[in-house]
Structure formats: C-alpha cells, structure tokens
C-alpha cells in the first residue's frame, strides 16, 4: 500500500487507540500484585534483589516473543532521546503501535474503507467497536498475532516500570541529587495547600495538556510506590499483626477488616502446583499506621483526573452524533460483577444466547458502571481476566449473599 488516504489514516488511528488501550489495561492488571509483593520485602537489599529477580524473569519471557515484533519491543524498552523526539512515553508507545499496525492490517483497511466512506461515519462508531474487531478477528485481522503483540508490549511496559523502581531506589541510596518532581511532591505532602494552589501547580507543570497530565500522574504513581514502601518498612511484622489484633479486640470481625480495607484476601501462585492456589492475606499498613500521610498527593491525583475528565467531555462535544445509553451504576466491584455473570453463564443449559464470551464481556462493559470504573468504562480484558481467575474476596462475597438469596427464595414457595 502506498500513501494512506484520510479514511485509511482515520481507521489506522482507531485501531492504534484500541491496541494501546489493551496494552495499558493488561500492564495495569499486574500493578496491585507487584505492589503487594514489593511491600512484603523487609529491607532495601531484599527489595533490590526482588526487583532484579523480576526483571530477569521478564527478560526471559520477552526472549520468547516472535522475531517479527522483537524490534518494537527493543525500541520501547530502551528508547533513545532521538527515538522519543520530545514525545511522552505514552505518545511514543502509540507511535510504535501505529508502526506495527501499518505493516499488519493493510488488507483489513482495504476492506473497511469500502464500508466507511466518510470520516464522519468512522467517528460515529462507538469506541469499543474497534476492540471487538481485534478480539473477534473480523475483516481478516489475525487476532492471535495481535494478542501476542499486546502480551509482549504489556510485558515490556511492566519491565520498564520495574526498572523505574530500581532506578528510583538506587538514586535514593547512592546519590544526594534530587528529582525536581519528587521535591515538589515532598513539599505538597508537608505543607497545607488549597485546591486552587494545587490546581495552579498542575496547570504550571502540564499546561493542562492531556499527555502531560497522564505523564505527571504516572510520575506520582512511581513516587507513591517508593515513598509508601519506605514508610511501611518502619513497621515490623509483629507490630502489624498486633495492630490487627487490637482492631479485632475493639469488636471488628475479619469481614469488617476486609470491608474497611485493612486487609485483603486472595490467591497467590503456587510453584509446586503451578496454579493460583496459595492463600495469602495482605495487610494495608498505610490504612493502619499512616492513613493521612499521602492525603495531599491523593488530592493532587484527584485534580489531575478531574482535568482529564474535562478533556474527555470536550472530545465528546466534538462528536455530538455519538449517543450512548446511561450505564447502570452498581456498588459491586468489577470482580464481584464478573463473577455473578460467570456463574449465570456457566449454568447448563445455557441462559445467555451469546456466540462467545467476548460478546458477554462487551455487554457488561457497555451497560454497567462500578464505583472504580475508569473513564473508558470496564475493560473487556479485565472482565476476561476475572472470568478466568475469579477473585477470592468476590467468591466469599457471593457465597454469603447466595445463601441469603436462597433463603428468600424458599420463603416465596
């Protein structure tokens, strides 16, 4: 294919955004587990050893990628200043995705440009449509190879995050030089700021540019990861267990502690069985020992999210023809919501007349909104992960409520 037409460029951009979203969701799905594992290290040496060990594991996994995508991974893991060309890492990743797709979906574009005759017809399509095409392998898309690319790009993203953690701790331990952004965040933590002052800080640093806002948010996440870990190390395992016992002595049950966020129960990977069968309990030291320490930073994150939402609303105003039915808001978490649909979907004979699980995931994503749903809604990839690996806490939740529902059913007889 020679030079792209405006229609082809618009289609290529839609697929680029869809693939980039898949990568982002897949990489973020590991974040909480990484934080939990990192926080379980007892000292700086153990943290460094753990981080280096994880990096080696990811490097070995990356070595198994297809040769056809190795070049993209190399560029993403070790970009030079020339490669970045002044772009944020997010823009750079999208550029790599776009370059990858330009060599893989030309035949697909040839088909789709027969369907979409105008730019307006492309913009009027709901955003998850392009994700569905990739997931279902429609119009000749090689969904298996696309998933292979997404998997390894997400792994490269996770590797970059671990390298950032290692670099952060090395700088903290080996140099007195400070990071300007981290200095700013330290100041925000230790001094009282009004919302207007925090807004002025965000505006000065980002000019309220979407990419700059996202980049600042990522910097804050890395800062919080390292700083909270330093605080958690001040409290021994014995002190932490005693704090939990003190809460129980005040009348809190284990269910109360889970509901209030003091502890989290889940499953961990068992090396012997090679499955997620090990029980673990994660104790939230921040919630117990220093609940207000990072409150100003969370306020800052809230302001950034508010500005990103304003940008989203403006983008939607530019496409007034796109109408969507309001989603049903639920107090259920994504794991709880996905599990109840999974239980119904697994019934025999089948209850849902769907062609595939992907169709069910799209329905849930398009029609439900949880308290913690992102601005893009519930990710279909997140739902797929929860279907394959149900959350232990969600299992306990429905185990309790199904007994109640069964009791109510019996009363109706």
């Amino acid at each position: 294919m020679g030079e792209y037409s405006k229609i082809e460029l618009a289609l290529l951009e839609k697929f680029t955004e869809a693939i980039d979203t898949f990568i982002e969701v897949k990489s973020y799905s590991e974040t909480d587990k990484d934080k939990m594992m990192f926080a379980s290290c007892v000292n700086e040496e153990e943290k460094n050893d753990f981080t280096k060990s994880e990096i080696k594991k990811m490097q070995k996994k990356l070595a198994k990628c297809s040769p056809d995508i190795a070049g993209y991974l190399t560029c993403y893991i070790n970009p030079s200043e020339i490669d970045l060309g002044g772009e944020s890492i997010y823009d750079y990743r999208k550029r790599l995705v776009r370059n990858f797709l330009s060599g893989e979906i030309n035949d697909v574009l040839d088909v789709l440009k027969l369907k979409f005759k105008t730019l307006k017809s492309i913009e009027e399509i709901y955003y998850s449509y392009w994700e569905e095409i990739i997931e279902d392998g429609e119009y000749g898309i090689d969904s298996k190879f696309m998933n292979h690319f997404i998997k390894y790009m997400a792994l490269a993203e996770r590797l970059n995050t671990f390298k950032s953690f290692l670099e952060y701790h090395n700088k903290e331990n080996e140099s007195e030089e400070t990071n300007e952004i981290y200095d700013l965040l330290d100041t925000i933590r230790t001094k009282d700021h009004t919302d207007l002052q925090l807004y002025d800080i965000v505006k000065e640093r980002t000019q309220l540019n979407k990419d700059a806002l996202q980049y600042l948010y990522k910097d804050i996440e890395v800062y919080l990861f390292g700083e909270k870990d330093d605080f958690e190390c001040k409290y021994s395992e014995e002190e932490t267990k005693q704090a939990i016992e003190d809460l129980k002595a005040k009348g809190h049950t284990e269910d109360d502690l889970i509901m209030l966020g003091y502890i989290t129960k889940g499953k961990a990977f068992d090396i012997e069985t090679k499955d997620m069968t090990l029980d673990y309990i994660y104790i939230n030291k921040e919630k117990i020992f220093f609940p207000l320490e990072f409150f100003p930073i969370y306020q800052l994150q809230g302001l950034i999210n508010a500005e990103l939402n304003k940008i989203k609303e403006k983008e939607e105003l530019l496409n007034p023809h796109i109408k969507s039915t309001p989603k049903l808001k639920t107090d259920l978490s994504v794991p709880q919501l996905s599990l109840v649909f999974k239980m119904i979907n697994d019934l025999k004979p089948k209850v849902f007349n769907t062609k595939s699980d992907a169709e069910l995931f799209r329905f849930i994503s398009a029609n439900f909104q949880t308290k913690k749903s992102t601005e893009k809604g519930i990710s279909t990839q997140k739902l797929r992960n929860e279907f394959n690996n149900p959350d232990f806490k969600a299992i306990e939740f429905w185990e309790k409520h199904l007994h109640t529902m069964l009791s109510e059913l019996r009363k109706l007889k």
Side-chain angles (χ1 to χ4, degrees):
M1 180 179 287
E3 186 176 346
Y4 287 112
S5 66
K6 290 183 179 180
I7 296 292
E8 291 166 336
L9 285 173
L11 290 167
L12 181 61
E13 188 60 28
K14 292 296 183 182
F15 283 115
T16 297
E17 291 175 358
I19 291 289
D20 193 63
T21 298
F22 278 132
I23 294 170
E24 184 173 302
V25 170
K26 194 169 184 63
S27 60
Y28 281 176
S29 67
E30 295 290 332
T31 299
D32 287 340
K33 188 177 77 172
D34 290 338
K35 288 181 179 178
M36 183 274 294
M37 294 297 292
F38 198 82
S40 68
C41 299
V42 298
N43 53 45
E44 292 297 324
E45 182 179 357
E46 191 170 315
K47 290 172 199 170
N48 280 336
D49 288 344
F50 167 73
T51 304
K52 291 176 182 177
S53 174
E54 289 298 302
I55 287 175
K56 287 182 180 178
K57 289 178 184 177
M58 285 182 274
Q59 287 171 332
K60 288 181 180 179
K61 290 179 180 179
L62 284 166
K64 298 178 182 179
C65 74
S66 165
D68 294 331
I69 67 169
Y72 299 101
L73 298 176
T74 301
C75 290
Y76 190 51
I77 294 169
N78 292 304
S80 66
E81 291 297 325
I82 296 176
D83 290 332
L84 290 172
E87 290 180 321
S88 71
I89 193 66
Y90 298 103
D91 283 336
Y92 179 59
R93 185 177 69 193
K94 285 184 71 172
R95 176 150 59 90
L96 288 176
V97 172
R98 191 180 297 108
N99 290 343
F100 164 75
L101 288 173
S102 65
E104 298 296 330
I105 64 169
N106 285 340
D107 291 342
V108 177
L109 297 182
D110 286 339
V111 175
L112 286 176
K113 69 182 181 183
L114 299 176
K115 177 178 179 179
F116 297 99
K117 302 293 186 181
T118 64
L119 294 176
K120 180 180 177 182
S121 66
I122 295 174
E123 292 301 326
E124 287 179 342
I125 297 295
Y126 56 98
Y127 74 88
S128 62
Y129 174 76
W130 315 102
E131 295 179 7
E132 295 167 12
I133 291 177
I134 294 167
E135 283 186 322
D136 297 340
E138 298 178 6
Y139 301 105
I141 280 187
D142 186 345
S143 59
K144 184 176 180 180
F145 187 56
M146 291 295 160
N147 285 328
H148 180 84
F149 177 75
I150 292 166
K151 172 184 174 181
Y152 281 95
M153 280 294 287
L155 188 60
E157 170 72 21
R158 189 164 171 245
L159 174 61
N160 283 343
T161 300
F162 268 92
K163 287 168 66 178
S164 297
F165 294 153
L166 188 62
E167 182 181 355
Y168 172 82
H169 279 279
N170 286 341
K171 284 183 178 180
E172 286 287 303
N173 296 330
E174 298 174 7
S175 173
E176 294 183 356
E177 295 181 7
T178 55
N179 181 294
E180 184 184 357
I181 293 296
Y182 295 162
D183 279 347
L184 172 64
L185 296 175
D186 282 338
T187 302
I188 291 173
R189 268 173 58 195
T190 56
K191 294 183 179 180
D192 291 332
H193 289 79
T194 65
D195 284 343
L196 178 58
Q197 288 172 322
L198 291 176
Y199 172 80
D200 287 340
I201 290 171
V202 172
K203 185 175 181 180
E204 179 186 354
R205 291 286 169 175
T206 66
Q207 303 303 309
L208 304 185
N209 173 271
K210 180 179 179 180
D211 291 329
L213 287 166
Q214 291 174 332
Y215 199 55
L216 177 59
Y217 194 93
K218 183 66 177 290
D219 282 342
I220 293 173
E221 283 189 322
V222 174
Y223 168 84
L224 281 172
F225 189 96
E227 290 297 310
K228 288 200 294 187
D229 182 70
D230 287 342
F231 264 77
E232 290 175 351
C233 286
K234 298 176 182 178
Y235 304 96
S236 66
E237 185 176 349
E238 291 73 21
E239 289 176 310
T240 305
K241 288 181 178 179
Q242 185 58 52
I244 293 296
E245 292 302 318
D246 291 343
L247 288 169
K248 289 181 178 178
K250 293 178 181 178
H252 292 295
T253 65
E254 188 170 274
D255 286 341
D256 292 334
L257 297 178
I258 292 173
M259 182 183 66
L260 294 171
Y262 288 108
I263 63 175
T264 300
K265 296 178 70 176
K267 294 288 185 180
F269 186 75
D270 188 334
I271 298 177
E272 293 184 1
T273 63
K274 296 183 179 180
D275 202 355
M276 299 290 286
T277 55
L278 286 180
D279 295 326
Y280 77 81
I281 295 179
Y282 170 66
I283 300 175
N284 189 334
K285 291 184 179 180
E286 179 183 5
K287 181 81 173 178
I288 297 172
F289 297 114
F290 49 97
L292 299 178
E293 177 65 31
F294 297 100
F295 181 73
I297 306 300
Y298 298 141
Q299 283 183 295
L300 188 66
Q301 287 183 311
L303 282 170
I304 294 173
N305 278 328
E307 291 305 316
L308 287 171
N309 285 332
K310 289 179 184 177
I311 293 172
K312 177 177 178 290
E313 290 173 2
K314 289 179 181 178
E315 290 174 345
E316 290 175 347
L317 287 174
L318 296 175
N319 298 286
H321 301 289
I322 300 177
K323 301 292 182 181
S324 59
T325 303
K327 296 182 180 181
L328 180 64
K329 295 182 179 179
T330 174
D331 287 335
L332 295 174
S333 65
V334 174
Q336 291 167 350
L337 181 64
S338 64
L339 181 55
V340 70
F341 272 96
K342 173 179 171 58
M343 289 188 291
I344 298 173
N345 191 52
D346 289 345
L347 290 175
K348 302 296 182 183
K350 288 181 70 66
V351 174
F352 296 132
N353 186 18
T354 55
K355 297 178 182 178
S356 65
D357 286 346
E359 184 179 346
L360 180 58
F361 300 153
R362 290 194 292 270
F363 172 81
I364 300 171
S365 176
N367 292 281
F368 289 89
Q369 178 183 347
T370 67
K371 287 183 176 180
K372 294 185 178 180
S373 295
T374 66
E375 62 182 49
K376 295 180 180 178
I378 303 173
S379 159
T380 55
Q381 185 61 46
K382 171 73 172 175
L383 290 167
R384 187 185 302 279
N385 291 340
E386 293 295 343
F387 260 59
N388 294 332
N389 297 291
D391 179 73
F392 182 78
K393 190 174 176 182
I395 294 173
E396 286 192 328
F397 174 87
W398 283 116
E399 185 177 34
K400 174 183 176 181
H401 287 286
L402 284 174
H403 281 299
T404 303
M405 293 165 68
L406 182 60
S407 176
E408 292 299 318
L409 276 175
R410 287 169 178 161
K411 293 178 184 179
L412 296 174
K413 288 185 176 180

